[in-house]
Amino acid sequence: MARKTKDDHLIEVLHVAEMYYFEQMTQSAIADRLSLSRWTVGRMLESARDSGLVHITIDHPLARHHRLEVELTRRFGLSRAIVVPAQGRLEATVDVIASAAADSISLLRPAPSVIGVSWGRTLAQVVRHLHPGWTRDVTVVQTNGGVAITRNDLVGRSVVMMAELGRGRAITLQAPTVLGSAQLCTMLRADTTVARTLEMASHADLLVYSPGPADNGSVLVGAGHISPGDMSRLRASGAKADVMSHFVDSSGHPVDPDLDARTLSMDLEAVRRSPRVIAVAAGLEKAEAMGAALSGGLCTEVVTDSEVAEAVLSNRTTTGQQE
């Protein structure tokens, strides 16, 4: 019997690959047709992929970048990372990330009974992608005070809408997130309702927020809580991100103790102690903020796009106008 040449083997591998991928035959059916063992067919298909004879491409906007997910998880000690491709337009990227985050939250098992949520434009988009009945009997707690002025009514209502869609209840903080004085902030924290809300947020099964950039695009600047001059001063002090209204440096620590004392929000140490914290960020403008949240240990999971992930991993971070 003539011995098989290298070309003969390649042709046989090609034939097996065509039957498997084009004709959609099972490995068992291919083995029966060619009088081979199923193990041999499996090895041939593996060889076809390893040699580059077969390329598998998932062509979908939500197709994930597993290499970046693995690198983020390893470098920052995350329990999970979801990285999807950046789209052609920022609006499209935000939409894809919001959809991925909504799916991730909806599919959590066991389903969280208490979720702490920091409002914002990105989180408003996440809520928009949640389906009615995505869970039931959920309690959604606001992690930081609100703003009087927003560019999108959904921003202010996102906590309530998340609870309504989850057939549950919302517990909000009916106070500004930045107060006029530390004394006033301390008095509000002593209020029974406010104290109970922040305590519940601190012990939530899940926290969800979007790290905001420390620049004039911040919703806190738009709402008048922080002036452009204040923002310049915060930047000069090393501010890299807004995490639940706390302006933090690259290590996740507040850069302005006086401002932080006037900020009505759950404590950052409580965020670090939380069992599950998902940080959601879309667009390269969020890379610096996401990097600070990761380096500061302020999340256990991330949902982001490939450009943000690449920038964080290579320390190429920028600021922008998206929150």
Side-chain angles (χ1 to χ4, degrees):
M1 179 184 291
R3 193 169 185 175
K4 286 185 180 180
T5 66
K6 187 175 181 180
D7 286 343
D8 290 335
H9 177 71
L10 179 61
I11 291 172
E12 191 170 35
V13 169
L14 177 61
H15 189 32
V16 167
E18 288 174 336
M19 286 190 287
Y20 185 76
Y21 291 105
F22 292 153
E23 299 179 40
Q24 298 184 341
M25 293 176 62
T26 65
Q27 293 185 30
S28 295
I30 296 170
D32 291 342
R33 178 182 292 188
L34 300 179
S35 299
L36 299 170
S37 69
R38 184 175 177 180
W39 180 85
T40 301
V41 171
R43 289 297 300 272
M44 286 182 170
L45 290 171
E46 184 179 344
S47 174
R49 292 190 295 268
D50 292 344
S51 66
L53 184 66
V54 171
H55 296 276
I56 299 175
T57 302
I58 302 175
D59 187 14
H60 189 277
L62 292 179
R64 290 163 58 177
H65 284 258
H66 290 285
R67 176 185 64 82
L68 294 175
E69 292 177 351
V70 170
E71 289 185 26
L72 284 172
T73 300
R74 287 178 178 172
R75 180 175 299 186
F76 297 103
L78 302 174
S79 60
R80 185 171 64 157
I82 296 175
V83 180
V84 298
Q87 307 299 298
R89 296 178 300 107
L90 177 58
E91 294 81 3
T93 299
V94 173
D95 190 65
V96 168
I97 292 300
S99 177
D103 288 344
S104 176
I105 294 168
S106 299
L107 296 173
L108 288 177
R109 296 295 180 272
S113 58
V114 180
I115 303 177
V117 176
S118 177
W119 49 265
R121 291 190 286 269
T122 300
L123 262 296
Q125 293 301 314
V126 172
V127 171
R128 189 174 65 83
H129 281 279
L130 288 171
H131 301 292
W134 65 273
T135 189
R136 60 174 58 247
D137 299 326
V138 68
T139 298
V140 181
V141 186
Q142 189 171 328
T143 60
N144 49 316
V147 294
I149 304 171
T150 66
R151 283 178 268 178
N152 182 342
D153 186 55
L154 184 57
V155 172
R157 281 185 41 78
S158 56
V159 174
V160 174
M161 289 191 66
M162 189 177 195
E164 290 176 346
L165 291 170
R167 299 174 183 174
R169 61 172 184 155
I171 301 178
T172 59
L173 279 171
Q174 300 298 317
T177 193
V178 179
L179 283 303
S181 70
Q183 182 181 15
L184 178 57
C185 190
T186 300
M187 291 174 60
L188 278 173
R189 284 179 175 275
D191 177 81
T192 302
T193 301
V194 172
R196 186 184 300 122
T197 300
L198 291 176
E199 179 70 12
M200 184 173 290
S202 297
H203 292 90
D205 305 317
L206 169 70
L207 296 177
V208 186
Y209 75 97
S210 180
D215 62 25
N216 289 336
S218 169
V219 69
L220 293 176
V221 174
H225 288 305
I226 304 294
S227 70
D230 290 335
M231 186 59 72
S232 296
R233 180 176 53 79
L234 289 167
R235 290 292 301 176
S237 298
K240 303 295 183 185
D242 157 20
V243 175
M244 299 183 188
S245 302
H246 298 279
F247 284 94
V248 301
D249 59 19
S250 57
S251 297
H253 296 108
V255 299
D256 186 332
D258 292 333
L259 175 61
D260 217 53
R262 296 190 288 114
T263 300
L264 187 65
S265 177
M266 67 178 291
D267 188 75
L268 291 177
E269 289 307 313
V271 176
R272 292 186 175 93
R273 291 194 301 268
S274 294
R276 195 164 207 165
V277 185
I278 300 177
V280 185
L284 195 55
E285 296 86 351
K286 285 284 193 109
E288 183 178 58
M290 179 60 93
L294 285 164
S295 298
L298 294 168
C299 57
T300 63
E301 304 178 26
V302 297
V303 181
T304 193
D305 64 75
S306 54
E307 288 187 345
V308 172
E310 291 276 16
V312 169
L313 290 167
S314 63
N315 294 317
R316 291 183 297 102
T317 54
T318 61
T319 59
Q321 303 297 315
Q322 177 74 17
E323 205 285 341

